[in-house]
mmCIF file of all heavy atoms in Angstrom:
data_model
loop_
_atom_site.group_PDB
_atom_site.id
_atom_site.type_symbol
_atom_site.label_atom_id
_atom_site.label_comp_id
_atom_site.label_asym_id
_atom_site.label_seq_id
_atom_site.Cartn_x
_atom_site.Cartn_y
_atom_site.Cartn_z
ATOM 1 N N TYR A 545 28.448 -10.103 -1.495
ATOM 2 C CA TYR A 545 28.819 -9.616 -0.165
ATOM 3 C C TYR A 545 30.057 -10.372 0.301
ATOM 4 O O TYR A 545 30.250 -11.530 -0.077
ATOM 5 C CB TYR A 545 27.709 -9.897 0.844
ATOM 6 C CG TYR A 545 26.441 -9.099 0.625
ATOM 7 C CD1 TYR A 545 25.303 -9.716 0.124
ATOM 8 C CD2 TYR A 545 26.386 -7.749 0.928
ATOM 9 C CE1 TYR A 545 24.121 -9.006 -0.061
ATOM 10 C CE2 TYR A 545 25.212 -7.026 0.748
ATOM 11 C CZ TYR A 545 24.084 -7.658 0.262
ATOM 12 O OH TYR A 545 22.936 -6.965 0.081
ATOM 13 N N GLY A 546 30.828 -9.738 1.180
ATOM 14 C CA GLY A 546 31.949 -10.430 1.832
ATOM 15 C C GLY A 546 33.079 -10.753 0.883
ATOM 16 O O GLY A 546 33.018 -10.466 -0.308
ATOM 17 N N VAL A 552 29.465 -14.162 -0.473
ATOM 18 C CA VAL A 552 28.099 -14.615 -0.748
ATOM 19 C C VAL A 552 27.634 -13.887 -1.999
ATOM 20 O O VAL A 552 27.658 -12.653 -2.037
ATOM 21 C CB VAL A 552 27.149 -14.224 0.409
ATOM 22 C CG1 VAL A 552 25.707 -14.570 0.062
ATOM 23 C CG2 VAL A 552 27.557 -14.888 1.708
ATOM 24 N N GLN A 553 27.233 -14.647 -3.000
ATOM 25 C CA GLN A 553 26.658 -13.970 -4.154
ATOM 26 C C GLN A 553 25.149 -13.877 -3.951
ATOM 27 O O GLN A 553 24.475 -14.897 -3.782
ATOM 28 C CB GLN A 553 26.982 -14.711 -5.452
ATOM 29 C CG GLN A 553 26.509 -13.894 -6.635
ATOM 30 C CD GLN A 553 26.960 -14.442 -7.974
ATOM 31 O OE1 GLN A 553 27.182 -15.639 -8.119
ATOM 32 N NE2 GLN A 553 27.086 -13.554 -8.940
ATOM 33 N N ALA A 554 24.630 -12.656 -3.910
ATOM 34 C CA ALA A 554 23.208 -12.455 -3.624
ATOM 35 C C ALA A 554 22.394 -12.286 -4.917
ATOM 36 O O ALA A 554 21.253 -12.740 -4.990
ATOM 37 C CB ALA A 554 23.025 -11.241 -2.721
ATOM 38 N N GLY A 572 10.144 -13.714 -4.961
ATOM 39 C CA GLY A 572 11.127 -14.792 -4.963
ATOM 40 C C GLY A 572 11.280 -15.354 -3.571
ATOM 41 O O GLY A 572 10.813 -14.747 -2.606
ATOM 42 N N PRO A 573 11.944 -16.499 -3.450
ATOM 43 C CA PRO A 573 12.058 -17.164 -2.152
ATOM 44 C C PRO A 573 12.820 -16.319 -1.122
ATOM 45 O O PRO A 573 13.577 -15.426 -1.496
ATOM 46 C CB PRO A 573 12.839 -18.447 -2.461
ATOM 47 C CG PRO A 573 13.141 -18.462 -3.905
ATOM 48 C CD PRO A 573 12.602 -17.229 -4.534
ATOM 49 N N SER A 574 12.602 -16.632 0.133
ATOM 50 C CA SER A 574 13.259 -15.923 1.223
ATOM 51 C C SER A 574 14.778 -16.008 1.065
ATOM 52 O O SER A 574 15.319 -17.061 0.743
ATOM 53 C CB SER A 574 12.827 -16.562 2.539
ATOM 54 O OG SER A 574 13.373 -15.826 3.582
ATOM 55 N N GLY A 575 15.435 -14.874 1.245
ATOM 56 C CA GLY A 575 16.900 -14.851 1.195
ATOM 57 C C GLY A 575 17.474 -14.873 -0.208
ATOM 58 O O GLY A 575 18.688 -15.021 -0.380
ATOM 59 N N CYS A 576 16.647 -14.697 -1.232
ATOM 60 C CA CYS A 576 17.170 -14.857 -2.610
ATOM 61 C C CYS A 576 17.914 -13.618 -3.096
ATOM 62 O O CYS A 576 18.677 -13.703 -4.054
ATOM 63 C CB CYS A 576 16.053 -15.234 -3.580
ATOM 64 S SG CYS A 576 14.984 -13.872 -4.076
ATOM 65 N N GLY A 577 17.694 -12.475 -2.467
ATOM 66 C CA GLY A 577 18.410 -11.274 -2.910
ATOM 67 C C GLY A 577 17.517 -10.092 -3.255
ATOM 68 O O GLY A 577 17.969 -9.109 -3.840
ATOM 69 N N LYS A 578 16.242 -10.155 -2.849
ATOM 70 C CA LYS A 578 15.287 -9.106 -3.214
ATOM 71 C C LYS A 578 15.637 -7.753 -2.580
ATOM 72 O O LYS A 578 15.665 -6.730 -3.264
ATOM 73 C CB LYS A 578 13.858 -9.510 -2.800
ATOM 74 C CG LYS A 578 13.392 -10.815 -3.408
ATOM 75 C CD LYS A 578 11.986 -11.167 -2.984
ATOM 76 C CE LYS A 578 11.833 -11.471 -1.509
ATOM 77 N NZ LYS A 578 12.566 -12.657 -1.042
ATOM 78 N N THR A 579 15.886 -7.770 -1.282
ATOM 79 C CA THR A 579 16.209 -6.516 -0.597
ATOM 80 C C THR A 579 17.501 -5.929 -1.164
ATOM 81 O O THR A 579 17.611 -4.714 -1.337
ATOM 82 C CB THR A 579 16.337 -6.759 0.924
ATOM 83 O OG1 THR A 579 15.065 -7.198 1.410
ATOM 84 C CG2 THR A 579 16.735 -5.505 1.668
ATOM 85 N N SER A 580 18.438 -6.795 -1.496
ATOM 86 C CA SER A 580 19.702 -6.321 -2.076
ATOM 87 C C SER A 580 19.435 -5.543 -3.367
ATOM 88 O O SER A 580 20.027 -4.478 -3.591
ATOM 89 C CB SER A 580 20.634 -7.505 -2.364
ATOM 90 O OG SER A 580 20.844 -8.261 -1.198
ATOM 91 N N ILE A 581 18.540 -6.054 -4.204
ATOM 92 C CA ILE A 581 18.211 -5.363 -5.460
ATOM 93 C C ILE A 581 17.618 -3.983 -5.161
ATOM 94 O O ILE A 581 17.987 -2.976 -5.754
ATOM 95 C CB ILE A 581 17.217 -6.203 -6.300
ATOM 96 C CG1 ILE A 581 17.864 -7.527 -6.728
ATOM 97 C CG2 ILE A 581 16.730 -5.413 -7.527
ATOM 98 C CD1 ILE A 581 16.917 -8.495 -7.446
ATOM 99 N N GLN A 615 10.434 -2.643 5.542
ATOM 100 C CA GLN A 615 9.487 -3.611 6.094
ATOM 101 C C GLN A 615 8.810 -3.122 7.381
ATOM 102 O O GLN A 615 7.596 -3.131 7.482
ATOM 103 C CB GLN A 615 10.217 -4.919 6.343
ATOM 104 C CG GLN A 615 9.275 -6.044 6.694
ATOM 105 C CD GLN A 615 9.958 -7.391 6.550
ATOM 106 O OE1 GLN A 615 10.830 -7.561 5.707
ATOM 107 N NE2 GLN A 615 9.564 -8.320 7.377
ATOM 108 N N ASP A 688 9.788 -2.510 0.218
ATOM 109 C CA ASP A 688 10.288 -3.824 0.602
ATOM 110 C C ASP A 688 9.306 -4.458 1.574
ATOM 111 O O ASP A 688 9.285 -4.103 2.756
ATOM 112 C CB ASP A 688 11.665 -3.670 1.264
ATOM 113 C CG ASP A 688 12.377 -5.008 1.415
ATOM 114 O OD1 ASP A 688 11.835 -6.037 0.957
ATOM 115 O OD2 ASP A 688 13.471 -5.022 1.999
ATOM 116 N N GLU A 689 8.458 -5.342 1.089
ATOM 117 C CA GLU A 689 7.505 -6.041 1.943
ATOM 118 C C GLU A 689 6.777 -5.072 2.867
ATOM 119 O O GLU A 689 6.757 -5.268 4.080
ATOM 120 C CB GLU A 689 8.260 -7.049 2.840
ATOM 121 C CG GLU A 689 9.007 -8.119 2.097
ATOM 122 C CD GLU A 689 8.146 -9.327 1.783
ATOM 123 O OE1 GLU A 689 6.945 -9.305 2.110
ATOM 124 O OE2 GLU A 689 8.680 -10.269 1.210
ATOM 125 N N VAL A 720 8.705 -5.213 -3.650
ATOM 126 C CA VAL A 720 9.236 -6.536 -3.322
ATOM 127 C C VAL A 720 8.254 -7.210 -2.370
ATOM 128 O O VAL A 720 7.822 -6.594 -1.393
ATOM 129 C CB VAL A 720 10.617 -6.410 -2.639
ATOM 130 C CG1 VAL A 720 10.956 -7.667 -1.859
ATOM 131 C CG2 VAL A 720 11.696 -6.136 -3.672
ATOM 132 N N HIS A 722 6.698 -11.298 -0.807
ATOM 133 C CA HIS A 722 6.648 -12.760 -0.774
ATOM 134 C C HIS A 722 5.289 -13.232 -1.257
ATOM 135 O O HIS A 722 5.058 -14.417 -1.431
ATOM 136 C CB HIS A 722 6.690 -13.254 0.686
ATOM 137 C CG HIS A 722 8.035 -13.357 1.250
ATOM 138 N ND1 HIS A 722 8.448 -12.580 2.305
ATOM 139 C CD2 HIS A 722 9.065 -14.169 0.938
ATOM 140 C CE1 HIS A 722 9.683 -12.910 2.601
ATOM 141 N NE2 HIS A 722 10.077 -13.864 1.792
ATOM 142 N N ARG A 740 18.690 -17.849 -4.176
ATOM 143 C CA ARG A 740 19.977 -17.172 -4.225
ATOM 144 C C ARG A 740 21.012 -17.942 -5.054
ATOM 145 O O ARG A 740 21.109 -19.152 -4.863
ATOM 146 C CB ARG A 740 20.477 -16.993 -2.787
ATOM 147 C CG ARG A 740 21.676 -16.102 -2.644
ATOM 148 C CD ARG A 740 22.024 -15.924 -1.190
ATOM 149 N NE ARG A 740 22.518 -17.156 -0.579
ATOM 150 C CZ ARG A 740 23.756 -17.607 -0.746
ATOM 151 N NH1 ARG A 740 24.610 -16.948 -1.499
ATOM 152 N NH2 ARG A 740 24.148 -18.707 -0.168
HETATM 153 N N1 LIG B 1858 25.565 -7.265 4.478
HETATM 154 C C1 LIG B 1858 25.574 -8.554 4.123
HETATM 155 N N2 LIG B 1858 26.681 -9.315 4.271
HETATM 156 C C2 LIG B 1858 26.716 -10.606 3.888
HETATM 157 N N3 LIG B 1858 25.658 -11.254 3.368
HETATM 158 C C3 LIG B 1858 24.523 -10.558 3.209
HETATM 159 C C4 LIG B 1858 24.408 -9.192 3.575
HETATM 160 N N4 LIG B 1858 23.144 -8.776 3.295
HETATM 161 C C5 LIG B 1858 22.512 -9.847 2.785
HETATM 162 N N5 LIG B 1858 23.335 -10.916 2.726
HETATM 163 C C6 LIG B 1858 22.998 -12.230 2.176
HETATM 164 O O1 LIG B 1858 22.586 -12.072 0.837
HETATM 165 C C7 LIG B 1858 21.471 -12.895 0.545
HETATM 166 C C8 LIG B 1858 20.321 -12.068 0.011
HETATM 167 O O2 LIG B 1858 19.849 -11.207 1.029
HETATM 168 P P1 LIG B 1858 18.569 -10.273 0.831
HETATM 169 O O3 LIG B 1858 18.325 -9.598 2.112
HETATM 170 O O4 LIG B 1858 18.763 -9.443 -0.372
HETATM 171 O O5 LIG B 1858 17.446 -11.383 0.525
HETATM 172 P P2 LIG B 1858 15.847 -11.243 0.473
HETATM 173 O O6 LIG B 1858 15.413 -11.908 -0.765
HETATM 174 O O7 LIG B 1858 15.469 -9.832 0.685
HETATM 175 O O8 LIG B 1858 15.432 -12.109 1.745
HETATM 176 P P3 LIG B 1858 14.026 -12.043 2.581
HETATM 177 O O9 LIG B 1858 12.987 -12.599 1.671
HETATM 178 O O10 LIG B 1858 14.286 -12.955 3.719
HETATM 179 O O11 LIG B 1858 13.802 -10.635 2.965
HETATM 180 C C9 LIG B 1858 21.144 -13.642 1.839
HETATM 181 O O12 LIG B 1858 21.671 -14.924 1.745
HETATM 182 C C10 LIG B 1858 21.824 -12.844 2.912
HETATM 183 O O13 LIG B 1858 22.240 -13.674 3.960
#
Side-chain angles (χ1 to χ4, degrees):
Y545 292 107
V552 174
Q553 187 172 28
S574 184
C576 77
K578 302 180 294 296
T579 297
S580 304
I581 296 174
Q615 190 164 328
D688 192 3
E689 299 273 2
V720 160
H722 276 116
R740 190 176 68 78

